[in-house]
Amino acid sequence: MGRGFIDTIAAPITPPGRGAIAVVRVSGPSAYQAVGRLFDPWPENPEPRKAIFGALSTGDDGLATPFPEGSSYTGEETVEISLHGSPASVRLLMDVLYEFDVRPAEPGEFTLRAFLNGRMDLTQAEGVRETVDAATEAQLRLAERLRTGKLSSSVSAIRRQVLSVLAAVEASTDFSDEVGDLNSAEAIEECRLAIDGLDALISSAKSAQMVREGLHIAIVGQPNAGKSSLLNTLLGSDRAIVTEIPGTTRDTLEEMVEIGGVPCIVIDTAGMRDADGHVEKLGVERSIKAADSADHVWMIYDAEKGWTVEDEQILESIHRPAAVLANKCDLQPKPNPQRGHPISAKTGEGLDFLIEMIAKHAEDAEVLQAAVLPRHAPLLAAAKTSIEETIETLEGDVPTDLAAVTLQKTIRILGELTGESASPDVIQEIFSTFCIGK
């Protein structure tokens, strides 16, 4: 077991007043004793993980499920009480618990105790937070990879490689008579394999960021091509002003929408043309900037008018690949428009193509993606740099035992990621982002 906390904590682990049932978790060395004083019947030796129906001294009734030390979420003696979800019922239960020397749990304290008691590492704890915060299917899948230890297992494998090199370096230094000199070629090869593993994780950071923060999509095109109409259709509301007057949008407009299970930040840009006024010129400049920084660009044009020289100039001005969308295909007589994929922002025709495209992008990204969060990326990069320094030492004309310094540094950095060597300040900062009840 881990820390052996002396105090017992409690908090609702479901939002009170938002459902027919609420759940209150009590965790700590006196959890059974406290619940036994307010729940009837409470057996002298509760059967682990078997729910008991009974009455609460607060006037409610419900189920109490005991979890013994070592077999609960926190690793401590725990009871989870399910009761009616009214705010009054939950509040009364909490008030009675506080009378029995149970204190309110701080944000993230249940998961903090689980981490400190060895029930999970730091990346898995972050996975719990990401699961609670997930708003899309893709975010939920990313959180599941963290929570179930996909990242920590990859990091642990790299750490074992580094440890094997460190053991060889130290053995050749301390016991050279028995084991002989270090095989530098083998050590370097093992270091390069560790770097390959780190590179794979580092390369996945971008796709993980996309899943967490959203895929940025810039819609560009001439005025009145249907950019704002497309945004409104995706949102299912009239968020952007749509008129027959060209140049209605003078600035970029950003909205979050889920497309194909992926969070997307869709950017409606100003119509790109030779602008007359200063304000419209600024809008066009921002449109170009938005296209340059976006993950995807949708170049939309009026299919009823056909592809024009101006459309070609816009496509060339953004200097990057773009999906060409022929809008207003509902007004376009067949055959298909001159260029791009036919869609209708008005009727929704052809939008399945966009959904499939985004879903495919996310699917391809997830193949490489190991749920690397913003906190992890710089640590992975620092670990890679440290191993590269080890290789330079082993290849150089210096004593090989100097490599132990950078190898130990690498192990410490990887430990910061999973929690073994993370400072109390880092741990506190991570768990301060959790909600109460987790």
Side-chain angles (χ1 to χ4, degrees):
M1 285 302 297
R3 288 296 176 95
F5 294 94
I6 61 173
D7 54 348
T8 299
I9 58 175
I13 60 176
T14 54
R18 296 191 186 176
I21 300 296
V23 180
V24 171
R25 176 182 288 148
V26 187
S27 180
S30 62
Y32 282 12
Q33 179 183 0
V35 173
R37 295 173 66 180
L38 60 82
F39 188 88
D40 184 40
W42 182 255
E44 183 176 349
N45 295 303
E47 184 176 345
R49 296 175 293 281
K50 182 177 180 180
I52 309 162
F53 178 76
L56 297 164
S57 63
T58 58
D60 199 354
D61 53 29
L63 298 173
T65 307
F67 298 88
E69 181 180 356
S71 299
S72 68
Y73 178 76
T74 62
E76 304 173 312
E77 182 178 281
T78 300
V79 182
E80 293 184 358
I81 303 172
S82 302
L83 66 162
H84 293 97
S86 71
S89 183
V90 174
R91 184 176 63 253
L92 284 171
L93 174 59
M94 299 305 299
D95 288 344
V96 173
L97 286 169
Y98 299 153
E99 294 175 3
F100 300 152
D101 295 325
V102 176
R103 68 167 175 83
E106 297 176 1
E109 190 170 4
F110 291 125
T111 305
L112 173 61
R113 292 190 175 200
F115 163 67
L116 294 175
N117 285 327
R119 300 289 290 174
M120 61 182 70
D121 74 5
L122 205 50
T123 65
Q124 290 173 297
E126 289 172 305
V128 173
R129 181 195 61 204
E130 296 297 308
T131 301
V132 173
D133 293 342
T136 68
E137 294 176 19
Q139 290 172 346
L140 191 60
R141 288 193 296 270
L142 181 146
E144 188 269 343
R145 293 185 180 196
L146 270 177
R147 199 181 66 253
T148 57
K150 296 292 193 303
L151 177 60
S152 59
S153 64
S154 297
V155 172
S156 295
I158 295 169
R159 188 172 182 271
R160 286 194 296 271
Q161 290 173 317
V162 177
L163 278 170
S164 70
V165 178
L166 177 60
V169 169
E170 291 180 337
S172 65
T173 301
D174 299 335
F175 309 102
S176 58
D177 292 340
E178 289 85 356
V179 302
D181 294 334
L182 176 71
N183 187 327
S184 296
E186 287 185 2
I188 290 171
E189 177 61 25
E190 197 71 15
C191 285
R192 295 195 189 283
L193 289 174
I195 288 176
D196 289 343
L198 288 169
D199 281 337
L201 293 176
I202 292 169
S203 66
S204 73
K206 176 67 175 176
S207 58
Q209 181 181 14
M210 178 203 78
V211 171
R212 293 184 77 248
E213 300 178 7
L215 183 71
H216 286 70
I217 302 171
I219 308 175
V220 301
Q222 290 193 63
N224 212 33
K227 299 181 295 298
S228 297
S229 295
L230 178 56
L231 173 63
N232 287 339
T233 299
L234 292 172
L235 292 173
S237 65
D238 293 334
R239 179 64 181 84
I241 298 173
V242 179
T243 73
E244 296 299 321
I245 304 171
T248 304
T249 303
R250 299 298 182 93
D251 198 355
T252 57
L253 177 65
E254 297 186 6
E255 290 291 335
M256 175 72 79
V257 61
E258 184 175 341
I259 303 176
V262 180
C264 296
I265 300 171
V266 182
I267 308 164
D268 177 19
T269 65
M272 299 172 71
R273 63 177 177 179
D274 291 332
D276 297 327
H278 176 67
V279 174
E280 191 174 356
K281 286 181 180 179
L282 288 176
V284 172
E285 290 173 2
R286 291 190 179 185
S287 297
I288 296 173
K289 184 178 180 181
D292 288 341
S293 61
D295 299 300
H296 275 249
V297 179
W298 293 348
M299 162 67 194
I300 188 169
Y301 76 97
D302 188 336
E304 189 180 19
K305 295 180 180 178
W307 184 260
T308 65
V309 173
E310 290 78 13
D311 293 318
E312 189 66 39
Q313 290 173 342
I314 291 172
L315 190 60
E316 292 175 358
S317 71
I318 59 179
H319 303 111
R320 57 178 305 180
V324 177
L325 306 177
N327 189 34
K328 305 182 184 179
C329 68
D330 55 310
L331 304 177
Q332 167 83 1
K334 302 299 185 275
N336 290 332
Q338 298 170 351
R339 186 166 182 176
H341 188 86
I343 68 165
S344 170
K346 181 178 180 180
T347 67
E349 182 181 346
L351 297 192
D352 286 348
F353 164 77
L354 300 180
I355 296 172
E356 292 171 4
M357 180 173 60
I358 296 302
K360 181 63 167 62
H361 178 94
E363 181 181 330
D364 292 343
E366 283 194 57
V367 171
L368 303 174
Q369 187 251 105
V372 175
L373 302 182
R375 182 184 77 86
H376 308 150
L379 292 172
L380 293 169
K384 177 183 176 181
T385 299
S386 183
I387 298 177
E388 290 172 338
E389 291 171 353
T390 300
I391 294 175
E392 290 178 7
T393 299
L394 294 174
E395 290 178 336
D397 189 19
V398 295
T400 56
D401 61 338
L402 294 177
V405 176
T406 48
L407 289 168
Q408 289 167 348
K409 178 183 176 183
T410 304
I411 292 167
R412 178 183 58 77
I413 293 170
L414 295 175
E416 288 181 34
L417 199 151
T418 54
E420 289 97 330
S421 55
S423 69
D425 288 343
V426 169
I427 293 172
Q428 182 179 1
E429 182 179 354
I430 290 171
F431 284 97
S432 68
T433 62
F434 282 59
C435 60
I436 292 176
K438 266 302 171 192

